[in-house]
Amino acid sequence: MTAEFDAGLKVARHTHPGVESTVLVAGGGTLSVKGQPDRVMAAGDGFQIPPEVPHAFQVGSEKVRLAITYIVEKDKPLSSPAPE
């Protein structure tokens, strides 16, 4: 799937019931993954999030466009909130 988020938007901390693989097609921002240092990302960078690992994304000063692949179990919600 593709997703676009406006400049400055914060994608709240959440989890997925399977693996998320993402490539930034345009724009950039900061990826926060539980247990890891924050990563500043730019167009062309990619990341993978293991199942059930809390993560969030702070969009930078320009709109970001992402290409995302999720491998999740059928009939489970794609994402769930993950409190701080």
Side-chain angles (χ1 to χ4, degrees):
M1 70 181 286
T2 60
E4 290 189 10
F5 299 108
D6 289 332
L9 179 92
K10 176 152 186 168
V11 177
R13 193 168 188 232
H14 62 284
T15 62
H16 303 286
V19 175
E20 173 188 351
S21 297
T22 298
V23 174
L24 280 74
V25 177
T30 302
L31 174 67
S32 300
V33 179
K34 183 178 180 179
Q36 299 178 16
D38 288 354
R39 290 176 50 196
V40 176
M41 316 271 316
D45 290 341
F47 60 89
Q48 192 169 68
I49 308 292
E52 304 300 339
V53 174
H55 58 287
F57 191 83
Q58 176 65 55
V59 180
S61 61
E62 299 177 15
K63 179 186 275 191
V64 71
R65 187 165 18 121
L66 309 171
I68 310 167
T69 300
Y70 297 103
I71 302 173
V72 297
E73 290 183 47
K74 188 176 181 177
D75 299 326
K76 286 200 173 181
L78 182 57
S79 66
S80 298
E84 296 291 325

